[in-house]
Each structure stands twice: as structure tokens, then as C-alpha cells.
């Protein structure tokens, strides 16, 4: 038995396959990262858009949001990661350690180990400007960008929660043994029509 253990240990050390340095990063939404109860250096990965950039002498601060929360996640990185592509509106993927923030403004922050720019954004040509409140009439011209604003993002999150609640209420559950406990007593499905969506957006 001892000889087998020694043999396995020798095979591991002589193997040409590299050992992973870290555990794979768990992909989280910004909402889940902000609500994490245990922020003790867990390695995570988030994806989203840069909402603000603040560069200091030795530290780079980014606020990243993916639309899952009104609040953005603060990313702290080494100033050496500063790049011209890290602009407001750029889409990024950040990997690092989720730690407790020393600031009172937020509970957690992400200590970046790697920042990958997925899509660069030219702040001059980007129709949504930083720290500027755009009227809804203006945002109607850019339907693919307006979901990044606080107002429209909040409306979409509310609509998502309402839709999920409606589906949960009307959808029959296979676990229910008593037919009377089902709303329709038969399998039923909601329409996939876009009429409601168009009416809500046109009212904005």
C-alpha cells in the first residue's frame, strides 16, 4: 500500500501537465457579488460595462455594472493595468478576489488580477454621457443602449421580477398531487407575443 502511494506521488511530480495555480473563478453577476456574505478572497469573474474610471498614482478604481443591480461593483486594480481602452461604456471581464471593502460606501470590492476588454468604447461618440441625465425622448433613439441607464435598467428589473412572479403563479407544478391546487387544473402556457413589451416601451 505504501509503495502504491509513493508511485502515485512520483507520477504526479513527473507529469508534464501543469498544475493549476488557482481554483477556477466562479462567474457571478454584480448583484450576487454585492450580496456575497463571505468576502474572504474568493476568486470570482464578472462581466459588465464600465460606469466610471478613477486613476490614482498607484491604484485604479473602476465601477462595473451588468444591469443586474442599481449599484455597481467597485474594482480595485494596480495602476499598471491602466489602459486607454478602459473607458466609460467599455465592456470588460474582470477576474480577481472578492474582499471586504475598507470603505464605508460599499461592503465588498473586487481586487482585480486580470482585466480583459471585450468591447472598447469611444466616450466621444458614445451617445450616453457620464453623469448626465438624458430625457426619455432622447433615449428612445438608442434602444440598444438605454438599458444601461439607471431609469430604464430599474424598469427592466422590475418587469423581470413581475414576469417571473406571474410565470411562477400560473405555471402548474408537477409536484402538486391535488388537481384543485393548480390554477387552471390543466397545463397552460403564456403567450410569446411582443404586444405587451411594445406597449410598455412605447409608453416610456
Amino acid at each position: 500500500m505504501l509503495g502504491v502511494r509513493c508511485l502515485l506521488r512520483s507520477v504526479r511530480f513527473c507529469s508534464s501537465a501543469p498544475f493549476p495555480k488557482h481554483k477556477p473563478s466562479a462567474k457571478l453577476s454584480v448583484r450576487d457579488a454585492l450580496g456575497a456574505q463571505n468576502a474572504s478572497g474568493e476568486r470570482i469573474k464578472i462581466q459588465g460595462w464600465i460606469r466610471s474610471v478613477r486613476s490614482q498614482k498607484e491604484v485604479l478604481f473602476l465601477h462595473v455594472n451588468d444591469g443586474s443591480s442599481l449599484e455597481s461593483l467597485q474594482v480595485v486594480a494596480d495602476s499598471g493595468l491602466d489602459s486607454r481602452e478602459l473607458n466609460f461604456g467599455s465592456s470588460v471581464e474582470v477576474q480577481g478576489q472578492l474582499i471586504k471593502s475598507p470603505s464605508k460606501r460599499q461592503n465588498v470590492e473586487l481586487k482585480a488580477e486580470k482585466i480583459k476588454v471585450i468591447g472598447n468604447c469611444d466616450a466621444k461618440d458614445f451617445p450616453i454621457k457620464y453623469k448626465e441625465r438624458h430625457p426619455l425622448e432622447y433615449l428612445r433613439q438608442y434602444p440598444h443602449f438605454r438599458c444601461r441607464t439607471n431609469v430604464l435598467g430599474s424598469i427592466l428589473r422590475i418587469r423581470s421580477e413581475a414576469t417571473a412572479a406571474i410565470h411562477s403563479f400560473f405555471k402548474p407544478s408537477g409536484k402538486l398531487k391535488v388537481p384543485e391546487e393548480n390554477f387552471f387544473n390543466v397545463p397552460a402556457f403564456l403567450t410569446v407575443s411582443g404586444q405587451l413589451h411594445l406597449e410598455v416601451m412605447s409608453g416610456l
Side-chain angles (χ1 to χ4, degrees), residues 166-179 181-190:
I166 293 172
H167 276 268
S168 177
F169 180 78
F170 287 111
K171 187 176 180 180
S173 175
K175 298 180 180 180
L176 296 177
K177 297 181 180 180
V178 183
E181 294 185 15
N182 286 330
F183 186 85
F184 291 111
N185 200 23
V186 292
F189 305 93
L190 297 177

Side-chain angles (χ1 to χ4, degrees), residues 46-203:
I46 64 166
Q47 295 175 332
W49 297 281
I50 297 177
R51 299 296 299 268
S52 67
V53 183
R54 183 163 50 95
S55 180
Q56 295 185 353
K57 187 175 182 180
E58 298 179 354
V59 183
L60 177 67
F61 294 98
L62 302 174
H63 283 88
V64 180
N65 198 303
D66 59 358
S68 62
S69 171
L70 180 64
E71 183 182 357
S72 299
L73 178 64
Q74 178 170 278
V75 176
V76 183
D78 187 272
S79 59
L81 293 175
D82 194 0
S83 170
R84 294 182 179 179
E85 294 183 340
L86 296 178
N87 300 321
F88 169 74
S90 297
S91 56
V92 293
E93 178 182 272
V94 184
Q95 298 184 35
Q97 293 180 313
L98 189 66
I99 60 175
K100 188 175 181 179
S101 176
S103 175
K104 296 181 180 179
R105 296 182 178 180
Q106 62 270 333
N107 295 325
V108 297
E109 63 186 20
L110 182 59
K111 186 179 180 182
E113 297 173 348
K114 180 181 179 182
I115 301 178
K116 180 181 179 182
V117 178
I118 305 298
N120 189 20
C121 177
D122 189 351
K124 295 181 179 179
D125 297 333
F126 193 53
I128 301 176
K129 304 303 179 183
Y130 178 60
K131 286 186 177 181
E132 186 174 338
R133 294 186 178 182
H134 301 285
L136 295 177
E137 292 77 10
Y138 176 81
L139 294 176
R140 285 197 185 100
Q141 304 175 41
Y142 307 97
H144 53 304
F145 287 138
R146 59 187 178 184
C147 59
R148 300 192 194 183
T149 62
N150 291 337
V151 175
L152 273 300
S154 299
I155 292 175
L156 290 175
R157 283 189 294 272
I158 293 173
R159 191 184 71 174
S160 177
E161 293 291 335
T163 303
I166 293 172
H167 276 268
S168 177
F169 180 78
F170 287 111
K171 187 176 180 180
S173 175
K175 298 180 180 180
L176 296 177
K177 297 181 180 180
V178 183
E180 290 76 13
E181 294 185 15
N182 286 330
F183 186 85
F184 291 111
N185 200 23
V186 292
F189 305 93
L190 297 177
T191 176
V192 294
S193 171
Q195 180 180 355
L196 179 60
H197 171 74
L198 295 174
E199 290 179 355
V200 172
M201 301 309 286
S202 63

